[in-house]
Amino acid sequence: MHSIGYRANALLAFAVTILALMCGIASFSDNFNSPSPSAEVQVLNINRFRKKINGDDEVSLTLDISANLETLFTWNTKQVFVFLAAEYETPKNALNQISLWDSIIPSREQAKLRIDTTNKYRFIDQGSNLRGKDFNLTLHWHVMPKTGKMLADKLVLNGFRLPEAYR
């Protein structure tokens, strides 16, 4: 006969094995989801465009952000972290990214966004590189599952330009 401790150990090992197998199947099932989120961002106003005392350029924008991220949610999605970044090139750096706004979306019901806001984080370039600069606004998202690997993707929205003169 086996002791109580031996039986409890066997039962616990079996339960953990089944749990690990279920988590693996849950993670694998996310591979069959092909999300197709949509987004549109408009720059409603350039509130401030100035050169700071230390020589850096600073921009304040009013943005209209609308996005439908419902397709990112499956039964395995815990939450989605989404952020909007300004991306541009300078002679010194091939890619500059500045986060302007972010949010955590906890459920599918809150995944349709319609926000009019100023940039949450400061849009500053170290130097005088922003006058007349073309830039992209890129919506990035990170899907955080209950189990399995995180999924990250982005949607690039181009065609934005800063003015030639400070305001």
Side-chain angles (χ1 to χ4, degrees):
M1 288 297 208
H2 297 295
S3 69
I4 287 269
Y6 181 80
R7 290 179 184 177
N9 184 36
L11 182 63
L12 183 65
F14 179 71
V16 169
T17 302
I18 295 299
L19 182 63
L21 182 64
M22 289 175 59
C23 287
I25 291 170
S27 178
F28 180 72
S29 71
D30 273 347
N31 293 331
F32 300 111
N33 181 36
S34 55
S36 56
S38 61
E40 184 179 331
V41 179
Q42 295 177 348
V43 176
L44 298 178
N45 190 26
I46 298 175
N47 305 322
R48 181 177 60 244
F49 183 35
R50 66 184 178 125
K51 185 176 194 121
K52 294 173 55 175
I53 295 171
N54 63 359
D56 296 344
D57 284 349
E58 180 181 22
V59 181
S60 173
L61 304 170
T62 299
L63 303 166
D64 177 21
I65 304 167
S66 59
N68 184 352
L69 305 175
E70 289 179 328
T71 60
L72 297 175
F73 282 86
T74 65
W75 65 272
N76 190 32
T77 303
K78 180 178 181 181
Q79 64 187 12
V80 176
F81 174 71
V82 60
F83 68 97
L84 184 70
E87 299 179 346
Y88 61 96
E89 295 179 9
T90 59
K92 192 174 183 181
N93 299 309
L95 177 62
N96 295 281
Q97 288 182 318
I98 300 172
S99 181
L100 301 177
W101 169 86
D102 64 13
S103 182
I104 295 174
I105 303 169
S107 67
R108 181 188 301 261
E109 291 76 30
Q110 298 172 1
K112 279 193 174 182
L113 305 173
R114 178 64 192 223
I115 301 166
D116 289 336
T117 184
T118 59
N119 45 306
K120 189 175 180 181
Y121 306 107
R122 295 170 55 175
F123 186 170
I124 296 177
D125 179 70
Q126 295 176 343
S128 300
N129 298 309
L130 293 180
R131 283 182 291 163
K133 180 64 70 181
D134 291 321
F135 67 98
N136 297 329
L137 291 175
T138 304
L139 191 70
H140 297 261
W141 58 85
H142 297 268
V143 179
M144 298 170 193
K146 294 174 184 164
T147 181
K149 64 178 180 176
M150 264 185 22
L151 168 75
D153 207 351
K154 63 184 176 183
L155 184 62
V156 179
L157 308 159
N158 51 20
F160 300 97
R161 185 175 183 85
L162 291 169
E164 295 287 339
Y166 297 118
R167 296 182 186 181

